[in-house]
Amino acid sequence: MSPTLSILRTHVFPHRLSQPTLVFTLKSLCYCSSSSSSTPPLNMVKRVCSLACDSYYQQQQPHMRGFSPPRLHLSSIDPHSITHDQSLTIVASLAADAGSMVALGFFNWAIGCSKFRHFMRFYIVCATSLMANGNMERAHEVMQCMVRNFGEIGKVKEAVEIVIEMQNQGLVPSTQTLNWVVKVTSEMGLVEYAEYLFEEMCVRGVQPDSNSYRLLVIAYCKMGNVLEANRWLSAMLERGFVVDNASFTLIISRFCEKGFVTRAFWYFRKVSDMGLKPNLINFTSMIEGLCKRGSIKQAFEMLEEMVGKGWKPNVYTHTALIDGLCKKGWTEKAFRLFLKLVRSENHKPNVLTYTAMISGYCREEKLNRAEMLLTRMREQGLVPNTNTYTTLIDGHCKVGNFGRAYDLMNLMSAEGFSPNVFTYNAIVDGLCKKGRVQEAYKLLTNGFHNGLEADKVTYTILISEHCKQADTRQALVLFNKMVKSGIQPDIHSYTTLIAAFCREKQMKESEMFFHEALRSGLIPTKKTYTSMICGYCREGNLSLALKFFHRMSNHGCVPDGITYGALISGLCKQSKLDEAHTLYDAMVEKGLTPCEVTRITLAYEYCKLDDSCSAMAVLERLEKKLWIRTANTLVRKLCSERKVGMAALFFHKLIDMDHPVDRVTLAAFMTACYESNKYALVSDLSSKIHKENRLAVKVTK
């Protein structure tokens, strides 16, 4: 019998395992390779055991023995001179004869060597030896160590399976072990597997604690999967567990980033009611989320609440508010708050604050003020960063000042800040919008030579530009290049292509991209659906247009005036005026204002049928200003078609509604009447105008 088998039989499985189980365990987990030339020399085992004991007792004071396993000093032993089988024998022998701490000391020394660090049997034998000593806590630590170390080489699942199987040997997984494996697997990005382990261990009797739930919530938050984070956070709170402040800050920021600000606010109230006292960072995170959503009033209300609870806003709190005000278009209010920081003794504006303020002025095309802030920033000893320069460059590009944009780009490079993809995107977007596409490509080529890598936004800018030029072939080339580069197109990229093909009446290609976006897990937007509806209407396929119209609600999309207008126009082209009028009324009832094209199109179709009552009904629900504007346009259109009789009806109504009459409309009407020999209509209209003029004079007097 080999020393390994003897020691394991004597010390590791003294009473717990039956003979068949012992044999199976040894074969499957602790099997000593048959290629081994001979039985491991006992002198090496004895020597290492002796040195391990000496090292342990030299390091440990008598009153400290047995509390913590040190890393043994075995400098005279080369780890590579110990075979794998000998390591098993040594750790089992030390556990049996010298105690768990000495065995753990050798264990810690051995796994410091790559030879034993990923030797699974070593962990199993060590843990089982500790179990034989009744030291379950240390056995769990060994298993946790195995999970971490095997995660380094991508074999975490194999290690976790062993941890679970050790229950058959009497090592019941603990809550700490559950949390450890969830932590390691989720940090590796295996969150779904971590969730499976959570459920598996619960089935095996492990009671999860607040940390168990928190780990999964944090993992999903870091992945950006807010829906799953929400599910686990809800389950956590239902069981009475409360997150800590640091985790809560991450949860709030991630929820707000993904547009779930209302839900974040609800959790803020819920967790506060459960006993967590929000700190300054929690409040600031929530204020920032509200500002990003545009809920400025609510953000300031939370600021008051924060101050009421004894927390003084810091520079980050003020920066969030300044950024929110600027994005809302309230730049002067933001600047007043900015000045308050400048005059403050405790909290001075930082780079982020200046950048937010510069962004606000750039958004309003007040570039002189933005440049003034850049100068002021330097005077305060603050160094503009890449984001500051990019913000200013973007502002200059939007107004077509590319000379200054290039100067700023060179300046930031001279100061050690390399222009990033956002910087290039700002200039490329500006150039494309000004029709300087070749210059944009040249700039990108230079960037690629300097190590720049195009991102989703870069490709989308170029795809959009080619689509505007009806160059769908080149747009497709760029789209395919983006996919081959490993960049997943977003719904905006797909919508850009869909809209381009719809304009070209290439609905098969549009349908292909629409369904491809769905297969990729993307959610169509209102613009995506509207593009498809417009395309089908242009093609005359009203059944599919209506089908997509009714499908919009499936993805939370609400049709707007353009969507309704496209359908109404399509129905009018097929003389389905009743259906068109029904949609028109539904649109108005929803509070949407029909655009002028929609109003004219529907009214004119009724006029063509000499149905003046229905035509008037189309306009009657409009406010006076829109009614007048629409009636003037309609009269001119009817006159151009020589429908002067119908035009006269609207013109008389116009005189009643508006005075004085539009001269262009009057000239068009009179010309159409003379050309149609309808002199009586001109005479009637002139009489009415003179009568209205006399009444107007009397009222004035």
Side-chain angles (χ1 to χ4, degrees):
M1 182 181 295
S2 71
T4 301
L5 180 58
S6 175
I7 291 173
L8 289 177
R9 183 186 294 278
T10 305
H11 301 291
V12 181
F13 308 106
H15 305 294
R16 190 166 295 145
L17 300 179
S18 63
Q19 180 66 22
T21 307
L22 174 62
V23 172
F24 172 79
T25 304
L26 289 173
K27 283 183 177 180
S28 60
L29 301 178
C30 304
Y31 179 69
C32 299
S33 175
S34 59
S35 63
S36 181
S37 58
S38 62
T39 302
L42 284 175
N43 57 347
M44 174 60 78
V45 173
K46 290 179 180 179
R47 182 185 173 204
V48 174
C49 286
S50 176
L51 289 171
C53 291
D54 290 345
S55 176
Y56 175 78
Y57 284 101
Q58 286 173 6
Q59 292 182 62
Q60 296 287 302
Q61 298 296 326
H63 66 280
M64 289 295 293
R65 288 174 189 166
F67 284 90
S68 58
R71 184 178 293 275
L72 302 181
H73 300 300
L74 303 177
S75 54
S76 61
I77 301 293
D78 179 6
H80 295 283
S81 66
I82 303 174
T83 67
H84 286 99
D85 286 347
Q86 288 172 340
S87 69
L88 302 178
T89 305
I90 293 166
V91 76
S93 180
L94 287 173
D97 299 332
S100 299
M101 294 302 106
V102 184
L104 280 170
F106 172 74
F107 168 81
N108 290 331
W109 175 82
I111 62 172
C113 172
S114 58
K115 181 175 182 178
F116 302 110
R117 187 173 183 82
H118 304 124
F119 178 35
M120 187 170 285
R121 283 180 286 163
F122 185 57
Y123 291 88
I124 297 165
V125 170
C126 182
T128 317
S129 301
L130 295 172
M131 289 163 56
N133 288 351
N135 202 333
M136 299 297 180
E137 182 181 352
R138 297 296 186 178
H140 280 299
E141 290 176 7
V142 171
M143 290 290 97
Q144 293 167 16
C145 182
M146 179 179 69
V147 171
R148 181 189 64 236
N149 292 344
F150 274 79
E152 298 172 350
I153 58 172
K155 291 186 176 181
V156 68
K157 290 185 178 181
E158 291 88 336
V160 170
E161 286 173 4
I162 294 298
V163 171
I164 294 174
E165 285 301 318
M166 286 296 286
Q167 184 171 5
N168 296 330
Q169 307 303 324
L171 188 64
V172 179
S174 64
T175 303
Q176 289 71 25
T177 303
L178 163 65
N179 293 345
W180 184 260
V181 296
V182 168
K183 179 177 183 293
V184 172
T185 52
S186 60
E187 285 176 352
M188 294 177 63
L190 304 172
V191 186
E192 291 183 1
Y193 181 63
E195 187 173 332
Y196 157 76
L197 293 174
F198 182 98
E199 294 170 354
E200 175 70 17
M201 290 196 174
C202 288
V203 170
R204 291 173 177 266
V206 179
Q207 293 298 320
D209 59 10
S210 61
N211 197 35
S212 313
Y213 286 94
R214 184 188 66 83
L215 287 166
L216 283 167
V217 172
I218 297 305
Y220 277 118
C221 279
K222 288 181 177 178
M223 285 177 61
N225 192 338
V226 175
L227 293 177
E228 286 299 312
N230 177 60
R231 181 168 67 87
W232 281 96
L233 184 56
S234 296
M236 180 179 182
L237 299 182
E238 283 174 7
R239 286 158 178 79
F241 297 133
V242 182
V243 293
D244 58 283
N245 287 101
S247 301
F248 193 41
T249 297
L250 175 64
I251 291 165
I252 292 171
S253 61
R254 285 294 184 270
F255 272 65
C256 292
E257 283 173 15
K258 297 297 179 179
F260 291 80
V261 181
T262 302
R263 192 63 177 167
F265 187 74
W266 184 87
Y267 277 125
F268 189 92
R269 294 297 180 215
K270 176 73 173 176
V271 171
S272 300
D273 292 342
M274 292 180 70
L276 179 74
K277 294 182 178 179
N279 58 23
L280 175 61
I281 300 174
N282 299 146
F283 273 108
T284 299
S285 183
M286 194 67 245
I287 288 170
E288 184 179 12
L290 290 167
C291 287
K292 285 181 178 177
R293 187 178 68 173
S295 302
I296 306 299
K297 181 181 177 183
Q298 202 172 0
F300 275 96
E301 286 173 355
M302 180 150 283
L303 177 68
E304 290 179 10
E305 180 183 338
M306 182 182 85
V307 173
K309 292 185 181 295
W311 299 104
K312 291 184 178 180
N314 59 17
V315 64
Y316 299 101
T317 317
H318 282 100
T319 299
L321 292 165
I322 289 168
D323 189 50
L325 288 167
C326 287
K327 286 176 178 174
K328 197 77 172 177
W330 298 337
T331 313
E332 292 311 311
K333 289 182 180 180
F335 190 65
R336 286 198 292 271
L337 187 57
F338 177 83
L339 288 177
K340 183 179 177 181
L341 269 183
V342 171
R343 295 165 185 151
S344 170
E345 294 294 331
N346 300 319
H347 302 294
K348 293 292 184 182
N350 59 17
V351 175
L352 295 174
T353 320
Y354 272 98
T355 302
M357 202 64 244
I358 288 171
S359 177
Y361 281 129
C362 286
R363 196 176 284 108
E364 293 186 354
E365 298 185 359
K366 295 177 180 177
L367 277 305
N368 289 335
R369 291 194 177 188
E371 291 277 4
M372 181 260 308
L373 281 176
L374 182 69
T375 304
R376 174 68 176 168
M377 184 178 179
R378 294 179 185 281
E379 291 172 356
Q380 295 297 314
L382 296 171
V383 180
N385 59 22
T386 302
N387 191 31
T388 312
Y389 279 113
T390 299
T391 300
L392 198 50
I393 287 170
D394 184 51
H396 281 289
C397 288
K398 278 183 168 56
V399 298
N401 191 359
F402 295 104
R404 179 56 179 163
Y406 287 129
D407 289 342
L408 286 167
M409 197 174 185
N410 293 330
L411 180 61
M412 67 186 293
S413 298
E415 292 186 354
F417 296 101
S418 299
N420 58 20
V421 69
F422 303 105
T423 316
Y424 278 92
N425 287 344
I427 301 179
V428 168
D429 186 47
L431 289 170
C432 286
K433 285 177 178 175
K434 297 297 181 181
R436 297 161 66 170
V437 181
Q438 294 306 315
E439 188 178 341
Y441 272 108
K442 184 179 178 181
L443 178 70
L444 281 174
T445 302
N446 292 334
F448 294 148
H449 287 317
N450 294 324
L452 178 75
E453 291 186 5
D455 66 356
K456 191 183 302 180
V457 176
T458 316
Y459 281 107
T460 302
I461 291 169
L462 296 173
I463 289 169
S464 298
E465 184 56 35
H466 286 291
C467 286
K468 286 176 187 174
Q469 298 174 7
D471 187 0
T472 51
R473 187 189 64 80
Q474 185 59 31
L476 274 176
V477 169
L478 287 166
F479 185 86
N480 291 329
K481 187 176 180 181
M482 173 170 64
V483 174
K484 287 179 181 178
S485 300
I487 301 172
Q488 175 61 44
D490 58 13
I491 192 60
H492 180 59
S493 307
Y494 277 103
T495 300
T496 302
L497 279 175
I498 288 168
F501 282 114
C502 286
R503 285 192 295 270
E504 297 296 316
K505 296 184 181 180
Q506 299 179 37
M507 294 311 297
K508 287 186 178 179
E509 287 79 0
S510 296
E511 289 171 0
M512 180 190 72
F513 281 109
F514 185 89
H515 292 300
E516 186 178 310
L518 290 179
R519 286 193 297 272
S520 301
L522 300 173
I523 299 174
T525 64
K526 176 170 57 182
K527 187 177 179 181
T528 317
Y529 273 108
T530 301
S531 298
M532 293 295 294
I533 291 166
C534 289
Y536 284 124
C537 288
R538 286 192 189 97
E539 197 180 52
N541 194 338
L542 279 176
S543 60
L544 279 176
L546 287 167
K547 180 181 177 181
F548 271 77
F549 179 79
H550 294 302
R551 282 176 59 183
M552 290 182 75
S553 59
N554 295 342
H555 291 110
C557 299
V558 179
D560 59 9
I562 299 173
T563 319
Y564 277 102
L567 269 177
I568 291 168
S569 177
L571 289 165
C572 286
K573 285 178 182 177
Q574 295 192 9
S575 300
K576 296 182 178 181
L577 299 188
D578 289 342
E579 293 92 328
H581 204 157
T582 301
L583 266 181
Y584 182 90
D585 288 340
M587 176 184 181
V588 175
E589 285 172 7
K590 290 180 183 294
L592 297 172
T593 302
C595 68
E596 188 168 1
V597 174
T598 304
R599 302 192 298 264
I600 297 296
T601 299
L602 185 55
Y604 182 71
E605 289 299 319
Y606 279 118
C607 290
K608 283 166 62 177
L609 299 175
D610 293 326
D611 188 352
S612 59
C613 292
S614 295
M616 288 286 186
V618 170
L619 308 186
E620 68 182 7
R621 298 179 67 176
L622 299 174
E623 60 181 48
K624 183 179 178 180
K625 186 177 180 181
L626 285 178
W627 193 100
I628 293 169
R629 181 173 156 183
T630 307
N632 275 299
T633 306
L634 183 60
V635 168
R636 292 196 291 268
K637 183 173 179 62
L638 288 167
C639 289
S640 69
E641 298 291 334
R642 299 294 184 270
K643 296 183 180 296
V644 290
M646 188 67 68
L649 293 175
F650 280 94
F651 212 156
H652 281 284
K653 184 73 173 175
L654 258 175
I655 295 171
D656 294 337
M657 293 280 289
D658 188 35
H659 191 77
V661 296
D662 183 84
R663 292 185 178 184
V664 176
T665 307
L666 178 60
F669 179 75
M670 293 179 70
T671 301
C673 286
Y674 290 140
E675 290 177 353
S676 304
N677 298 320
K678 303 285 186 178
Y679 303 109
L681 291 176
V682 175
S683 178
D684 291 344
L685 187 66
S686 298
S687 298
K688 185 163 186 175
I689 292 173
H690 287 305
K691 183 179 178 181
E692 291 293 333
N693 285 338
R694 286 197 300 271
L695 287 172
V697 170
K698 286 182 179 180
V699 170
T700 304
K701 289 181 178 179

